[in-house]
Amino acid sequence: MVDKKKIDKRMEAKSVVQLKHMFDMELRHIKDDNGIDMLMFVGIDGRIFASIIPPVLDPIQFKFLNLVKGNLNSLCSQLKGDKMKISIQQYEFGSVIISGIGNNSFLASILTTPLDIDSMGPTVTNIINGSTVLNHLFEQRPITAEGIEIYDKVVQDELTRLTRQLFVEKFEETRGYKRNIALLKFLKQKISSVVGIGAVDEIITITMNELGTSASYMKDKDWLKFVNMVIENHIKERSGDIVADECKRTWVPEVERKLKSFV
């Protein structure tokens, strides 16, 4: 029996699209968790790789954004060759916190809410930690116990949080999920052809409960076990040994072929 609690509901980015989604999630965490108005992830050549900017800006935000954009070339020139960790620039209408991300990029966090320099400690620390997370993602390093052990616990926890959030938001787009849904549809048709459409959902639900899992998370061995359980526990009882034997003879090879076709 598969223990649902042991299903690993985490997911590392397996494609550029998923990696970009995970990167954007972390940008959103940094912004929302620290009350930041605007964020820009910038290369030291001045290119803005990613940003979070409200669709409608108030006058102060508009002025501040233009100020920062106007200073990008100067800022990039200062950063070339130097691995900057953090820089705080304060103006009468807000602050800009520049945090380095590796050797060739940085994060510009724009806050239009007045912040006293003495009270900025937690925000600065959070931005530094977030920048470490962004750098890990940007360099496409693995999010494994060994891969993140070099970081402080707060960074490790954030990287793990991202893998869980990616699982929740993108799991239904994975090849494994689509494979399982296709197999479930195929087996529903097979079962209904023997017992009738009215009994299909009941048989599938009972069998899934006995396995202790759901179609979304099934592995190859689970599908083969599922087929055998359906035949032995339900079809044989409802339709007899001859029909059950025929189902086993034809269904199992078909499922095996379909499983291999998704590899």
Side-chain angles (χ1 to χ4, degrees):
M1 181 175 179
V2 179
D3 187 349
K4 290 182 180 180
K5 294 180 180 179
K6 291 184 179 180
I7 294 172
D8 188 7
K9 295 188 177 182
R10 296 177 298 168
M11 191 169 77
E12 285 199 57
K14 301 296 184 183
S15 67
V16 174
V17 173
Q18 290 179 354
L19 182 63
K20 175 66 165 57
H21 186 74
M22 187 175 276
F23 199 91
D24 289 343
M25 286 193 299
E26 179 57 20
L27 286 176
R28 179 64 60 185
H29 288 173
I30 295 171
K31 178 184 181 299
D32 293 345
D33 293 349
N34 297 285
I36 295 169
D37 291 76
M38 294 169 278
L39 279 176
M40 291 188 293
F41 173 54
V42 187
I44 58 171
D45 58 0
R47 287 183 296 169
I48 299 174
F49 295 118
S51 64
I52 301 180
I53 297 172
V56 178
L57 302 175
D58 63 34
I60 293 179
Q61 289 174 330
F62 182 78
K63 182 177 181 180
F64 215 162
L65 179 61
N66 285 332
L67 183 150
V68 173
K69 283 186 174 180
N71 289 337
L72 278 182
N73 289 336
S74 173
L75 183 58
C76 291
S77 297
Q78 296 174 37
L79 294 175
K80 285 179 179 177
D82 296 320
K83 191 173 182 179
M84 184 193 66
K85 188 172 183 180
I86 198 79
S87 173
I88 302 172
Q89 302 174 3
Q90 286 198 307
Y91 302 86
E92 62 177 353
F93 45 84
S95 304
V96 181
I97 302 175
I98 306 294
S99 51
I101 300 176
N103 293 320
N104 299 306
S105 56
F106 61 91
L107 184 69
S109 303
I110 302 172
L111 301 92
T112 59
T113 303
L115 280 177
D116 184 85
I117 192 68
D118 294 330
S119 64
M120 291 182 69
T123 300
V124 171
T125 299
N126 291 341
I127 290 174
I128 291 174
N129 288 333
S131 297
T132 301
V133 171
L134 291 173
N135 187 53
H136 187 97
L137 298 174
F138 192 61
E139 294 184 351
Q140 300 181 43
R141 299 178 190 173
I143 307 178
T144 59
E146 297 78 14
I148 65 177
E149 64 182 0
I150 61 173
Y151 302 126
D152 293 338
K153 187 176 185 303
V154 64
V155 174
Q156 294 182 29
D157 289 346
E158 178 62 13
L159 284 164
T160 302
R161 173 191 179 192
L162 288 173
T163 63
R164 294 192 181 110
Q165 187 175 348
L166 185 66
F167 179 92
V168 171
E169 296 185 9
K170 293 295 182 178
F171 177 67
E172 292 186 1
E173 298 177 13
T174 63
R175 185 175 178 83
Y177 175 84
K178 292 177 181 178
R179 184 278 302 267
N180 286 342
I181 297 305
L183 277 169
L184 180 62
K185 181 179 179 181
F186 167 76
L187 287 170
K188 276 188 174 183
Q189 293 172 344
K190 288 291 185 182
I191 297 168
S192 66
S193 69
V194 177
V195 301
I197 194 169
V200 173
D201 289 340
E202 178 187 353
I203 289 173
I204 289 176
T205 299
I206 291 172
T207 307
M208 290 290 182
N209 288 338
E210 290 171 348
L211 281 171
T213 187
S214 65
S216 301
Y217 310 118
M218 297 270 273
K219 306 297 183 184
D220 289 9
K221 63 179 181 180
D222 299 323
W223 281 114
L224 294 173
K225 187 182 293 186
F226 173 83
V227 172
N228 280 292
M229 289 173 67
V230 167
I231 294 170
E232 291 295 325
N233 300 343
H234 300 281
I235 290 179
K236 182 178 289 189
E237 178 182 334
R238 293 167 183 258
S239 303
D241 291 345
I242 295 176
V243 173
D245 289 343
E246 178 63 17
C247 290
K248 183 174 290 187
R249 187 183 67 81
T250 58
W251 292 7
V252 172
E254 286 185 80
V255 170
E256 288 175 339
R257 284 196 297 271
K258 286 187 174 294
L259 289 170
K260 289 179 181 178
S261 71
F262 280 97
V263 175

